């Protein structure tokens, strides 16, 4: 049976975050075209749910749908910007979250993390929220290991995303965890979004779009992607943009939210995952083709990033 994703919406919900979940999970298909997820929506009670726009959602399901969920996603709502001073859920909401079965994957987008924290789901866990709400979150939930500088987090069965766009990243990440990089990349292509941004990427990038007339680092990134199987030095990357290493490194971090070295490792991990899923190449050859050089180096990087060996990853997603 398809994995059931239930989106729990509240009055003042942000329609774009609600739509992200339906669109991305709804795009995931098997090679035969069958849906991998069944996405449903519920609220405190069936009926009209006000959004933060002039559009109203007509929701046909109440909280009983949560009893059947494999994954629950909580988008943000206007009411999150004025959370209760005691940091606790109102009784009706507490009763709703009590319905979620133990072991169910639960995720929030943007300030939906306030609800997860109030429900006790983030106690002693790593989490994130929108950077503008970080101070209020820390004041209300000091027991949560809050990191407002990242796009999304994954701690056990609980995940949090920082804001609207990172909700896209989080959904693709969950699809990638469930069905591998190829399926997630296909969903990304179908919805015309970047296939992968690391959860550890900076939430706030100083220069996400270069100003007209300024020099960006995009040519160096394209050059590196075309030769991931070969050694790539920081000096060579800087030379592609005719910059000093120091200037290039500063510019690269402002545009991508990470260092060139970290970005390069992530691209190599992505290439290795695709090769493990889509080819029968021996692990040594996968390591060589993705630029890690040796199976030992690939095993260390994949283990550090995904917690599995190349062989185990291939057995799961091949």
């Amino acid at each position: 049976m398809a994995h059931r994703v239930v989106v729990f919406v509240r009055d003042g919900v942000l329609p774009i975050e609600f739509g992200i979940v339906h669109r991305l999970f709804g795009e995931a298909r098997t090679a035969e075209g069958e849906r991998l997820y069944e996405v449903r929506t519920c609220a405190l009670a069936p009926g009209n749910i006000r959004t933060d726009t002039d559009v109203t959602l007509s929701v046909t399901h109440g909280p009983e749908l949560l009893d059947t969920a494999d994954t629950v996603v909580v988008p943000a709502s206007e009411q999150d910007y004025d959370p209760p001073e005691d940091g606790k859920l109102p009784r009706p909401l507490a009763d709703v979250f009590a319905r979620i079965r133990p072991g169910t994957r639960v995720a929030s987008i943007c300030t939906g993390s306030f609800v997860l924290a109030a429900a006790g789901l983030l106690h002693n866990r790593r989490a994130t929220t929108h950077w503008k709400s970080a101070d209020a979150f820390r004041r209300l939930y000091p027991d949560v290991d809050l990191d407002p500088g990242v796009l999304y987090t994954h701690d056990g069965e609980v995940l949090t995303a920082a804001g609207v766009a990172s909700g896209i990243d989080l959904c693709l990440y969950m699809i990638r965890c469930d069905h591998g990089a190829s399926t997630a990349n296909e969903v990304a292509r179908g919805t015309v979004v970047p296939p992968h941004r690391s959860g550890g990427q900076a939430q706030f990038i100083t220069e996400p779009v270069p100003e007209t007339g300024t020099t960006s680092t995009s040519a160096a990134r394209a050059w590196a992607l075309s030769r991931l199987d070969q050694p790539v030095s920081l000096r060579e990357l800087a030379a592609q943009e005719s910059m000093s290493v120091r200037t290039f490194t500063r510019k690269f971090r402002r545009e991508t939210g990470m260092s060139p070295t970290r970005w390069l490792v992530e691209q190599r991990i992505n290439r290795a995952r695709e090769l493990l899923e889509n080819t029968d190449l021996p692990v040594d050859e996968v390591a060589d083709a993705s630029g890690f050089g040796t199976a030992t180096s690939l095993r260390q990087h994949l283990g550090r990033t995904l917690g599995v060996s190349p062989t185990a990853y291939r057995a799961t997603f091949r």
Side-chain angles (χ1 to χ4, degrees):
M1 294 180 63
H3 181 111
R4 173 168 280 191
V5 178
V6 176
V7 189
F8 178 70
V9 296
R10 298 161 290 146
D11 271 331
V13 64
L14 280 60
I16 189 172
E17 295 183 2
F18 159 80
I20 282 168
V21 183
H22 278 268
R23 182 62 175 172
L24 294 178
F25 283 106
E27 281 282 308
R29 308 294 177 95
T30 66
E32 295 73 32
E34 297 176 352
R35 292 184 183 273
L36 291 169
Y37 298 93
E38 176 192 31
V39 189
R40 294 289 181 266
T41 305
C42 74
L44 272 172
N48 290 335
I49 298 296
R50 181 178 55 80
T51 72
D52 72 335
T53 71
D54 60 347
V55 174
T56 299
L57 298 179
S58 179
V59 180
T60 58
H61 299 287
E64 68 281 350
L65 208 60
L66 295 172
D67 302 354
T68 65
D70 299 303
T71 294
V72 175
V73 181
V74 183
S77 165
E78 282 181 330
Q79 57 194 256
D80 298 331
Y81 299 110
D82 187 24
E85 282 302 316
D86 61 3
K88 296 180 180 179
L89 287 179
R91 182 58 183 269
L93 266 182
D95 291 342
V96 164
F97 277 82
R99 304 185 72 126
I100 299 174
R101 296 174 298 175
T104 299
R105 182 168 62 187
V106 183
S108 64
I109 300 177
C110 195
T111 53
S113 56
F114 279 77
V115 179
L116 301 196
L121 295 173
L122 296 179
H123 179 65
N124 289 336
R125 292 185 189 271
R126 184 168 175 261
T128 192
T129 194
H130 195 283
W131 59 272
K132 287 185 177 179
S133 300
D135 289 342
F137 190 98
R138 282 200 181 98
R139 185 179 68 254
L140 289 171
Y141 308 110
D143 61 316
V144 179
D145 180 15
L146 183 71
D147 187 348
V150 299
L151 294 181
Y152 57 87
T153 65
H154 183 184
D155 191 334
E157 70 276 12
V158 184
L159 304 94
T160 58
V164 174
S166 58
I168 296 174
D169 299 309
L170 182 63
C171 290
L172 287 173
Y173 172 77
M174 288 190 277
I175 294 169
R176 189 178 299 109
C177 288
D178 294 342
H179 299 287
S182 294
T183 299
N185 289 347
E186 192 63 30
V187 171
R189 280 192 291 269
T191 50
V192 199
V193 296
H196 176 67
R197 290 198 300 171
S198 166
Q201 181 174 314
Q203 186 178 140
F204 183 78
I205 299 174
T206 308
E207 194 175 335
V209 180
E211 294 182 12
T212 303
T214 64
T215 304
S216 79
T217 61
S218 58
R221 279 176 271 155
W223 177 82
L225 288 173
S226 71
R227 50 182 292 131
L228 287 177
D229 60 330
Q230 303 173 47
V232 175
S233 70
L234 186 55
R235 188 174 298 279
E236 288 176 312
L237 284 169
Q240 302 305 308
E241 305 290 359
S242 301
M243 297 180 188
S244 69
V245 169
R246 182 176 180 180
T247 299
F248 176 81
T249 301
R250 183 175 66 251
K251 188 81 171 177
F252 194 98
R253 187 180 291 276
R254 288 171 64 185
E255 290 183 2
T256 68
M258 63 182 73
S259 70
T261 301
R262 179 176 174 182
W263 178 87
L264 190 59
V265 169
E266 290 198 353
Q267 305 315 307
R268 286 180 163 149
I269 289 173
N270 293 341
R271 176 68 57 81
R273 291 171 72 164
E274 292 175 358
L275 291 172
L276 289 169
E277 291 181 30
N278 300 316
T279 74
D280 294 317
L281 289 174
V283 172
D284 282 337
E285 292 186 31
V286 171
D288 189 57
S290 55
F292 287 112
T294 67
T296 299
S297 178
L298 172 59
R299 190 175 298 111
Q300 290 172 343
H301 281 92
L302 209 62
R304 190 177 303 120
T305 304
L306 304 176
V308 297
S309 68
T311 302
Y313 185 86
R314 171 171 272 164
T316 301
F317 294 115
R318 182 73 173 91

